[in-house]
Amino acid sequence: MAKETTNIDFNANEDHMKLAVGDLKNRLKKIKLGGGKSRIDKQHEQGKLTARERIEYLLDDHSDFIEIGAFAGDDMYAEHGGCPAGGVVTGLGYIKERLCMVVANDATVKAGAWFPIAGKKNLRAQEIAMENRLPIIYLVDSAGVYLPMQDEIFPDKEHFGRVFRNNAKMSAMGIPQIAAIMGSCVAGGAYLPIMSDEALIVNKTGSIFLAGPYLVKAAIGEEVDKETLGGAVTQGEISGVVDYIMEDDKTCLDTIRDLMDKYGDFQTAGFNREVSQPPVKHPDDIYGIIPSASNKPYDVKEVVKRLVDESKFTEYKAGYGQTIFCGYARIDGWSVGIVANQRLLVKTRKGEMQFGGVIYSDSADKAARFIMLCNQKKIPLVFLQDVTGFMVGSRSEHGGIIKDGAKMVNAVSNSVVPKFTIITGNSYGAGNYAMCGKAYDPRLIVAWPNAKLAVMGGSQAAQTLFQIEMASKLKQGEKITAEKEKEMLKHITEKYDKQSTAYYAASRLWVDAIIDPLETRKWISMGIEAANYAPITDEFKVGVLQT
């Protein structure tokens, strides 16, 4: 692979992206420390591995692992001491060469207690397992619901109790579930391992009960120690609640590997795959192609060439609707249909200029047709989002932009083939929806570190919010000096810009991860491999389309 000949803009872009990727890696290093070194040391003193050490030991040596939701809870819950990674580590990895979802409570973070974001993250992990019919392994070590925030995690449809509903649903679907009780497992959380297919418990360190010793004494006056109440011997030999008693963490994890080794093969969806070929164009060039400024143009086809096998693709309707690129290609051998926003200023056959990154009527119509074709051919879809929204103005309205945008949204909504979304730059307004944002059920959705997610661009939004605040203050009779105006606009802009970052989105699980652009092929490939475990049973149909 030959690296692209560089120029000044390329070098500046490359430096900017390398700094962003470096910042991403430094943030991840901090998150992976969980509750900090002292709490990790305490875990080791108890004879326990940490959540991340358990996952590393459980997975096949030298195999890939993609972590889901590493930034969940980032820069949230400061008044409660923070909650790195939401207090739980989740991701896709290989156990005995079988792709699995792994969920491991991090007991170094508030004893593994469930914050609201932890509930959301657990549900996302289960959703991925259910969509793709993947085995799911729970490594339980949790003190239960974080009581100071119980009202935000306990009673609603997408709160804590939904986890156990999903346990039951997955069991009925025949999706393997294995739970290992490797620490505390308290109260309602006790249902998770016991609603799994098989449950293991580590002797002396694992315990499971509906109420701990203190609550038992308060409730019924009985004094009982933790081991007698719900330790390994009690729950393994007397109650029969668990299936296997293990002597230590490693023995427990080895046994899970043995259990996984005995599963039979399941039917696949049959997505097309050939031998993987690397791109001819050097993937590192992506760093220099993506502009440091989000409003600058670039040719998305050059990005695609660095993501797809042999840098080859077959472009669909190349001369029509040019602000969206559609084409067939292979990624790590898998056949894919790619829908990508084109950031170049283009000229139509009618001589009209179209701004890059904006969805016009013709590009929406083209994308909708391409999505339908991929569904007909059973080809997974990959969306590369760098979109500022749909075109506005009288010409667009007269041309039926709402109608054509609705066609595209309809096609995305009703698509039955797996969808994967990579936010490579901007993700604004209804463009996020049409390009398969989180609300449209992508199997995986990730962002590059330069990504921005918001209703609209920062400068437009800040000016709008500024005018609203100004009007409010003037109505109250407040006098605003020029200096005060400048200060207000600066504050609003900074706040809006912070809320538009990829990190803000990832902390709230609007995206599954922030990734180095060079990891994009791996995420898409493992995503399609996961999806291949779930045969397509629905027929592709679209609703009413205004032609």
Side-chain angles (χ1 to χ4, degrees), residues 342-407:
Q342 177 58 282
R343 289 302 305 258
L344 293 177
L345 183 71
V346 298
K347 195 173 190 178
T348 70
R349 289 182 182 271
K350 296 178 181 179
E352 298 169 344
M353 299 304 295
Q354 293 186 344
F355 295 99
V358 180
I359 302 175
Y360 289 77
S361 285
D362 54 358
S363 49
D365 176 68
K366 177 174 84 170
R369 289 172 180 271
F370 182 73
I371 290 164
M372 293 176 191
L373 283 170
C374 287
N375 274 270
Q376 185 184 56
K377 297 176 180 181
K378 203 163 76 169
I379 298 175
L381 285 158
V382 174
F383 292 84
L384 302 180
Q385 272 199 24
D386 191 351
V387 58
T388 53
F390 286 89
M391 190 58 190
V392 296
S394 60
R395 179 176 290 181
S396 291
E397 296 296 353
H398 295 170
I401 185 65
I402 296 174
K403 171 190 66 179
D404 290 315
K407 285 182 191 175

Side-chain angles (χ1 to χ4, degrees), residues 211-234:
Y214 295 118
L215 186 54
V216 167
K217 184 174 181 181
I220 63 173
E222 178 185 1
E223 292 196 14
V224 61
D225 64 82
K226 187 175 176 180
E227 281 297 311
T228 303
L229 183 63
V233 172
T234 295

Side-chain angles (χ1 to χ4, degrees), residues 107-167:
T108 70
V109 179
K110 291 285 192 294
W114 288 54
F115 279 68
I117 198 67
K120 187 173 183 179
K121 186 172 175 179
N122 275 267
L123 290 173
R124 176 60 177 150
Q126 288 184 321
E127 179 183 41
I128 292 170
M130 292 168 79
E131 281 183 325
N132 299 293
R133 291 186 173 271
L134 294 177
I136 184 166
I137 314 298
Y138 305 101
L139 306 180
V140 184
D141 194 346
S142 171
V145 166
Y146 184 61
L147 286 178
M149 303 186 75
Q150 63 84 28
D151 61 320
E152 295 183 46
I153 190 171
F154 167 61
D156 212 340
K157 180 179 177 180
E158 294 186 350
H159 284 176
F160 189 62
R162 187 79 170 183
V163 170
F164 316 129
R165 174 264 189 195
N166 287 349
N167 287 142

Side-chain angles (χ1 to χ4, degrees), residues 213-379:
Y214 295 118
L215 186 54
V216 167
K217 184 174 181 181
I220 63 173
E222 178 185 1
E223 292 196 14
V224 61
D225 64 82
K226 187 175 176 180
E227 281 297 311
T228 303
L229 183 63
V233 172
T234 295
Q235 303 293 26
E237 297 179 2
I238 298 174
S239 70
V241 164
V242 300
D243 305 303
Y244 308 93
I245 298 176
M246 301 285 105
E247 285 309 306
D248 54 37
D249 277 15
K250 289 185 177 180
T251 305
C252 182
L253 298 168
D254 285 335
T255 303
I256 293 173
R257 289 180 55 80
D258 289 340
L259 293 172
M260 283 302 306
D261 193 38
K262 308 303 186 294
Y263 278 101
D265 290 331
F266 294 87
Q267 183 184 357
T268 66
F271 299 126
N272 183 276
R273 191 180 198 185
E274 293 183 354
V275 175
S276 175
Q277 301 291 340
V280 173
K281 297 284 189 177
H282 205 294
D284 285 4
D285 291 340
I286 292 173
Y287 288 174
I289 294 169
I290 299 295
S292 56
S294 62
N295 60 349
K296 286 187 176 180
Y298 65 93
D299 189 352
V300 76
K301 295 177 192 177
E302 294 302 316
V303 175
V304 172
K305 287 175 184 176
R306 285 147 180 91
L307 294 177
V308 302
D309 291 13
E310 300 182 284
S311 300
K312 288 168 56 177
F313 55 77
T314 303
E315 186 172 0
Y316 174 74
K317 288 184 179 288
Y320 178 72
Q322 294 177 69
T323 63
I324 286 185
F325 163 88
C326 296
Y328 302 105
R330 291 189 182 275
I331 293 179
D332 198 25
W334 294 105
S335 170
V336 297
I338 298 172
V339 181
N341 301 112
Q342 177 58 282
R343 289 302 305 258
L344 293 177
L345 183 71
V346 298
K347 195 173 190 178
T348 70
R349 289 182 182 271
K350 296 178 181 179
E352 298 169 344
M353 299 304 295
Q354 293 186 344
F355 295 99
V358 180
I359 302 175
Y360 289 77
S361 285
D362 54 358
S363 49
D365 176 68
K366 177 174 84 170
R369 289 172 180 271
F370 182 73
I371 290 164
M372 293 176 191
L373 283 170
C374 287
N375 274 270
Q376 185 184 56
K377 297 176 180 181
K378 203 163 76 169
I379 298 175

Side-chain angles (χ1 to χ4, degrees), residues 49-123:
L49 300 173
T50 65
R52 293 183 183 278
E53 289 167 345
R54 286 167 177 166
I55 291 174
E56 184 179 3
Y57 187 89
L58 176 65
L59 299 180
D60 296 346
D61 291 338
H62 311 298
S63 64
D64 286 327
F65 174 70
I66 55 176
E67 184 171 349
I68 308 293
F71 285 98
D74 185 49
D75 202 25
M76 296 168 66
Y77 311 121
E79 67 276 24
H80 298 279
C83 187
V88 59
V89 184
T90 63
L92 296 174
Y94 297 90
I95 302 174
K96 292 293 183 176
E97 300 183 357
R98 171 112 190 189
L99 193 56
C100 300
M101 171 61 73
V102 183
V103 178
N105 300 115
D106 187 351
T108 70
V109 179
K110 291 285 192 294
W114 288 54
F115 279 68
I117 198 67
K120 187 173 183 179
K121 186 172 175 179
N122 275 267
L123 290 173

Side-chain angles (χ1 to χ4, degrees), residues 405-484:
K407 285 182 191 175
M408 185 176 175
V409 172
N410 198 322
V412 171
S413 302
N414 287 294
S415 179
V416 296
V417 296
K419 306 182 293 274
F420 302 90
T421 301
I422 317 296
I423 304 175
T424 64
N426 299 319
S427 180
Y428 293 151
N432 170 282
Y433 303 158
M435 290 294 294
C436 197
K438 182 68 181 289
Y440 291 81
D441 298 325
R443 296 294 177 98
L444 294 172
I445 177 169
V446 299
W448 290 355
N450 58 302
K452 303 284 186 185
L453 287 81
V455 170
M456 64 179 74
S459 59
Q460 304 99 304
Q463 285 291 343
T464 303
L465 292 168
F466 171 70
Q467 293 299 330
I468 292 170
E469 189 167 331
M470 276 284 289
S472 174
K473 289 182 179 296
L474 291 171
K475 190 176 180 180
Q476 294 169 14
E478 189 174 338
K479 291 184 178 179
I480 309 295
T481 63
E483 187 178 340
K484 180 68 173 176

